[in-house]
Amino acid sequence: FFFYFNFMHVPCLKIVLRKTMGILILVGIVIAPLPQIWKVLWSGSSNGLCLTSIFLELLAISTHAAFCYTQNFPIGAWGESLFALIQIAVLTLLVQHYRGKPIKGIYFLAVYCGFMFLLASPLTPVSVVWTLYEWNVLLVIAGRFFQAGSNFRWGHTGQLSALSVFLNFLGSLGRIFSSLQDTGLSLLTQMYVVACCCSGVILAQVLMYWNKCVTNSQKEGQEEKDKAE
């Protein structure tokens, strides 16, 4: 493929595409939360971010990391999930902070650390961890569904990072290709397709509501302050 430039050699083409998609998945998992964290910190607001969606995303990544840990997989096989869950936990804390609920954010972080310790310890049956791991993709789908519903309800995407959404969409595409190569058109592959479609909907909403974000975010921020008072 590389030495003779025989780009029509199907086995080599599949290997290259699979490695490329693997990189896309890695980028989608590791880097995606960073632009969102930066945007929240830069704007000093978390308007437009659905807290339920973030919770479900965090739970999905946490169950994946806990499963890999309990199965004694090498850190290289799941280290990106550990890095991602730390970022999403920080994002959750920031959302609570900018909504005027820092104490709840600290309580959540303490409860979450306890939950992860319990999930990764021998106290939790392996069957429970395995079941949560199998429901992993459904948690992701539910989280993105809630975020898309929140965008539609408010009529804008607020401080939702377009780059983070785009990276999640690329990661979803990579998972579809990898799953097709590994298991064919299985139920897992179909769930990845649904998750990718949800990411595509959110990406379309970001582009559609692009010019409405500033005005509506300010209006929503004022409403949140009024409720807090």
Side-chain angles (χ1 to χ4, degrees), residues 36-53:
Q36 185 61 73
I37 292 173
W38 172 254
K39 189 168 184 179
V40 171
L41 287 172
W42 179 262
S43 63
S45 171
S46 61
N47 292 332
L49 274 70
C50 178
L51 197 56
T52 303
S53 174

Side-chain angles (χ1 to χ4, degrees), residues 100-154:
K101 303 174 182 177
I103 303 301
K104 283 188 176 181
I106 295 172
Y107 283 158
F108 163 77
L109 197 59
V111 171
Y112 173 70
C113 290
F115 168 76
M116 283 302 296
F117 175 79
L118 185 62
L119 193 63
S121 71
L123 297 174
T124 304
V126 177
S127 59
V128 174
V129 180
W130 181 268
T131 302
L132 290 172
Y133 176 74
E134 288 182 331
W135 285 82
N136 188 292
V137 184
L138 292 178
L139 293 173
V140 174
I141 293 172
R144 292 174 185 174
F145 177 81
F146 275 110
Q147 182 62 63
S150 176
N151 296 338
F152 180 77
R153 185 173 65 254
W154 288 108

Side-chain angles (χ1 to χ4, degrees), residues 33-107:
L34 289 177
Q36 185 61 73
I37 292 173
W38 172 254
K39 189 168 184 179
V40 171
L41 287 172
W42 179 262
S43 63
S45 171
S46 61
N47 292 332
L49 274 70
C50 178
L51 197 56
T52 303
S53 174
I54 299 174
F55 283 159
L56 291 172
E57 192 86 19
L58 180 61
L59 182 59
I61 296 178
S62 300
T63 53
H64 177 265
F67 173 78
C68 293
Y69 177 79
T70 55
Q71 296 298 310
N72 295 319
F73 290 168
I75 188 67
W78 58 278
E80 72 281 357
S81 297
L82 181 62
F83 187 60
L85 69 85
I86 292 173
Q87 293 178 80
I88 297 178
V90 170
L91 179 61
T92 306
L93 191 61
L94 287 174
V95 170
Q96 295 279 32
H97 171 72
Y98 286 116
R99 291 185 179 179
K101 303 174 182 177
I103 303 301
K104 283 188 176 181
I106 295 172
Y107 283 158

